[in-house]
Amino acid sequence: MKIFTNILIFIALALIVFNVTLLDFNNLFEGDSLVGLIGVAASFCAVFILLIFRMSKLIQEKSKNH
């Protein structure tokens, strides 16, 4: 499961990099820039959810051992 979450985090980070290249900082809320901005926000949310999931699994393992 740890390898799977690492792969998903890597994919989400790659999507952040890709979507940043779509941004036009002069017209941030128009056209492809808006799509890129939404993609960056969604990718950050995915990374945070995966990190929370990983921490919950770590806590579950520690509580199972006690």
Side-chain angles (χ1 to χ4, degrees):
M1 191 63 136
K2 187 175 179 182
I3 295 172
F4 183 66
T5 56
N6 284 339
I7 291 170
L8 289 178
I9 289 172
F10 176 75
I11 291 171
L13 291 174
L15 282 173
I16 289 172
V17 171
F18 173 73
N19 285 320
V20 166
T21 62
L22 294 176
L23 297 178
D24 179 18
F25 293 104
N26 294 328
N27 297 321
L28 197 58
F29 296 108
E30 294 179 6
D32 285 341
S33 291
L34 183 62
V35 173
L37 195 62
I38 292 170
V40 168
S43 297
F44 271 123
C45 289
V47 169
F48 289 136
I49 288 171
L50 288 167
L51 290 175
I52 290 170
F53 177 71
R54 182 186 289 177
M55 293 299 288
S56 70
K57 286 295 185 181
L58 182 71
I59 291 170
Q60 184 180 16
E61 280 292 318
K62 285 189 178 190
S63 68
K64 192 181 281 188
N65 290 338
H66 288 283

